[in-house]
């Protein structure tokens, strides 16, 4: 990353690497070059790096070809997630996002894609997605992207929150809290990009991604504080805060995954709460799971990707706060830690997979305000590499 920035005015650089350098180091070098040189701008960018070619001089080029190819794929998918997240919401609505996934998946054999539109969501009972998206002129969608290689023995479902803009709805946000809400679909961007990467690399694992997409807007059709929402499968939520909308769309997707897809592992990524940053700062995701081995494995993968997460508790004495006089659950209780309560609420929709489920609240690390290592200002693409 430092090399990419130091050489941004050059067009071509040659690096002589030491004899016997590990392929992992070469992969890291390539990823750093490709990620630190990333820029997103809709107009002309006079500060864009001029560097277009880097030659790596090594004693045995063939020994590093696979490492460099993996780095290219990983970086390309991370850059895709950054592009999707950085795109202004004047362009990015649920339909646009679904079209980007359709285009990206078109050239990859072995992928199947289904996009549910509002009529199909209503017919199948996705009440959370419909409630959150009901206030917008741009209707909600549910993207289901499946990579299913013949040799797969494990099925992982990834779920990503896809709120393409979040005003807070009738529980409207103050302006400072709203200005970056185009990033509220960073979880969906990450899981889609990760699945496309798995297909590109031919990984021998079945990966199904669910991206519930909605725009949370204020209008006469918006859902109200105090409404009761009926989710996929029939469970109901009393929702007293329309700015706690992400968990409503995730609940539908999690319930659908459990009932219809029956995976071995269920993982969701979401820019879910501001409490993530309060607890852990700007660079660390909050990880939740009742499965110690799954939590350890995901934390190791995240560290290997150069990212950061911290395992948080799921305390039993908080569960009582989810009780409602009107519905099965209260979706946004105000007692206790906000990120913890959101995770406990999501766990209620995991059914028989509760012990094979993991949730990451990655609201804080999905965005950075300055260039730092391989990150550039704006969307980080957090979660794709992990």
């Amino acid at each position: 990353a430092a090399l990419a920035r130091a050489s941004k005015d050059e067009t071509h650089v040659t690096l002589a690497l030491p004899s016997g350098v590990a392929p992992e180091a070469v992969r890291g070098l390539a990823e750093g070059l490709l990620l630190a040189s990333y820029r997103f701008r809709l107009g002309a960018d006079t500060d864009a790096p001029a560097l277009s070619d880097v030659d790596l001089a090594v004693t045995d080029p063939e020994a590093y070809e696979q490492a460099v190819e993996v780095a290219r794929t990983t970086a390309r998918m991370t850059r895709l997630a950054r592009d999707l997240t950085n795109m202004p919401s004047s362009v990015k609505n649920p339909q646009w996002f679904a079209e980007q996934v359709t285009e990206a998946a078109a050239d990859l054999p072995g992928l199947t894609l289904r996009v549910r539109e509002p009529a199909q969501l209503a017919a199948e009972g996705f009440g959370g997605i419909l409630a959150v998206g009901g206030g917008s002129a741009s209707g909600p969608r549910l993207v289901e992207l499946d990579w299913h290689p013949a040799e797969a023995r494990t099925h992982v479902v990834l779920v990503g929150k896809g709120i393409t803009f979040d005003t807070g709805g009738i529980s409207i946000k103050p302006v400072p809290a709203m200005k970056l809400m185009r990033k509220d679909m960073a979880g969906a961007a990450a899981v889609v990009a990760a699945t496309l990467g798995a297909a590109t690399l031919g990984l021998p694992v079945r990966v199904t991604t669910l991206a519930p997409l909605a725009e949370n807007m204020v209008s006469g059709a918006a859902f109200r504080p105090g409404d009761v929402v009926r989710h996929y499968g029939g469970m109901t939520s009393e929702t007293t805060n329309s700015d706690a909308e992400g968990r409503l769309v995730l609940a539908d997707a999690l319930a659908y995954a459990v009932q219809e897809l029956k995976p071995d592992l269920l993982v969701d990524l979401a820019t879910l709460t501001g409490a993530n940053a309060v607890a852990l700062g700007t660079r660390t995701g909050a990880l939740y799971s009742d499965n110690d081995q799954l939590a350890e494995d995901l934390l190791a993968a995240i560290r290997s990707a150069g990212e950061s997460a911290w395992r948080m508790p799921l305390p039993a004495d908080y569960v009582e706060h989810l009780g409602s006089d009107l519905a099965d659950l209260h979706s946004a209780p105000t007692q206790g830690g906000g990120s913890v309560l959101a995770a406990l609420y999501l766990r209620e929709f995991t059914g028989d997979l509760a012990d094979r489920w993991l949730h990451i609240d990655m609201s804080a690390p999905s965005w950075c305000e300055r260039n730092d290592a391989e990150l550039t200002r704006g969307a980080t693409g957090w979660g794709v590499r992990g």
Side-chain angles (χ1 to χ4, degrees), residues 19-386:
S19 178
V21 63
E24 293 80 6
V26 173
R27 174 183 169 181
L29 172 63
E31 284 185 10
L33 287 165
L34 292 166
L35 292 175
S37 59
Y38 170 85
R39 295 292 185 278
F40 182 88
R41 190 179 176 90
L42 295 181
D45 186 0
T46 57
D47 294 326
L51 185 63
S52 59
D53 293 285
V54 177
D55 289 335
L56 304 182
V58 294
T59 53
D60 183 8
E62 290 185 0
Y64 302 104
E65 286 179 353
Q66 182 178 3
V68 171
E69 190 55 39
V70 170
R72 284 197 183 106
T73 298
T74 304
R76 187 169 77 253
M77 295 308 164
T78 304
R79 290 168 71 110
L80 171 63
R82 290 178 180 181
D83 283 346
L84 292 170
T85 307
N86 278 322
M87 181 61 70
S89 297
S90 54
V91 174
K92 176 175 57 187
N93 59 30
Q95 179 180 341
W96 179 90
F97 189 109
E99 288 170 350
Q100 304 312 298
V101 180
T102 302
E103 183 178 335
D107 296 329
L108 288 172
L111 277 173
T112 58
L113 174 67
R114 180 179 181 184
V115 178
R116 289 174 173 86
E117 298 189 359
Q120 296 163 301
L121 294 171
E124 296 182 42
F126 289 93
I129 299 173
L130 289 165
V132 175
S136 174
S138 301
R141 300 288 190 275
L142 176 62
V143 168
E144 182 174 348
L145 181 66
D146 188 49
W147 161 245
H148 193 175
E151 66 272 26
R153 296 294 178 267
T154 301
H155 183 196
V156 179
V157 168
L158 304 176
V159 179
K161 174 185 171 184
I163 303 300
T164 57
F165 191 80
D166 182 19
T167 66
I170 289 177
S171 308
I172 195 164
K173 294 177 182 288
V175 171
M178 201 190 302
K179 64 181 181 179
L180 285 180
M181 282 300 101
R182 71 180 185 272
K183 79 176 183 72
D184 213 15
M185 36 56 66
V191 296
V192 164
T195 305
L196 293 169
T200 302
L201 295 172
L203 300 186
V205 178
R206 183 182 179 190
V207 181
T208 305
T209 273
L210 299 173
L213 306 170
E215 187 176 55
N216 189 22
M217 297 291 282
V218 182
S219 78
F223 76 109
R224 294 157 292 261
D227 282 0
V228 172
V229 172
R230 185 172 297 276
H231 296 279
Y232 187 92
M235 193 175 291
T236 56
S237 293
E238 178 187 3
T239 172
T240 56
N241 179 359
S242 68
D243 195 22
E245 83 299 328
R247 64 200 70 182
L248 301 179
V249 302
L250 290 172
D252 275 6
L254 291 170
Y256 170 76
V258 171
Q259 295 175 45
E260 306 300 334
L261 301 179
K262 298 178 173 58
D264 300 298
L265 297 173
L266 180 60
V267 177
D268 74 83
L269 272 67
T271 54
L272 205 57
T273 70
N276 168 208
V278 174
L280 298 173
T282 59
R283 293 292 298 274
T284 302
L287 182 147
Y288 298 87
S289 182
D290 287 319
N291 186 318
D292 293 341
Q293 188 60 57
L294 179 58
E296 290 174 12
D297 289 346
L298 261 291
L299 286 169
I302 290 165
R303 285 193 297 270
S304 178
E307 296 174 336
S308 175
W310 189 264
R311 189 178 181 185
M312 299 283 280
L314 289 164
D317 57 340
Y318 273 23
V319 175
E320 65 183 64
H321 301 320
L322 298 175
S324 166
D325 293 335
L326 297 176
D328 295 312
L329 296 168
H330 191 309
S331 66
T334 56
Q335 309 97 319
S339 182
V340 176
L341 281 164
L344 287 168
Y345 170 81
L346 293 178
R347 189 178 66 178
E348 295 294 317
F349 293 87
T350 60
D352 295 338
L353 287 173
D355 63 343
R356 287 172 282 160
W357 160 78
L358 184 142
H359 159 66
I360 302 178
D361 186 342
M362 37 77 81
S363 181
S366 68
W367 194 268
C368 64
E369 293 294 340
R370 60 184 177 85
N371 294 343
D372 184 16
E374 82 282 7
L375 304 179
T376 60
R377 186 181 181 200
T380 62
W382 196 98
V384 176
R385 293 182 287 161

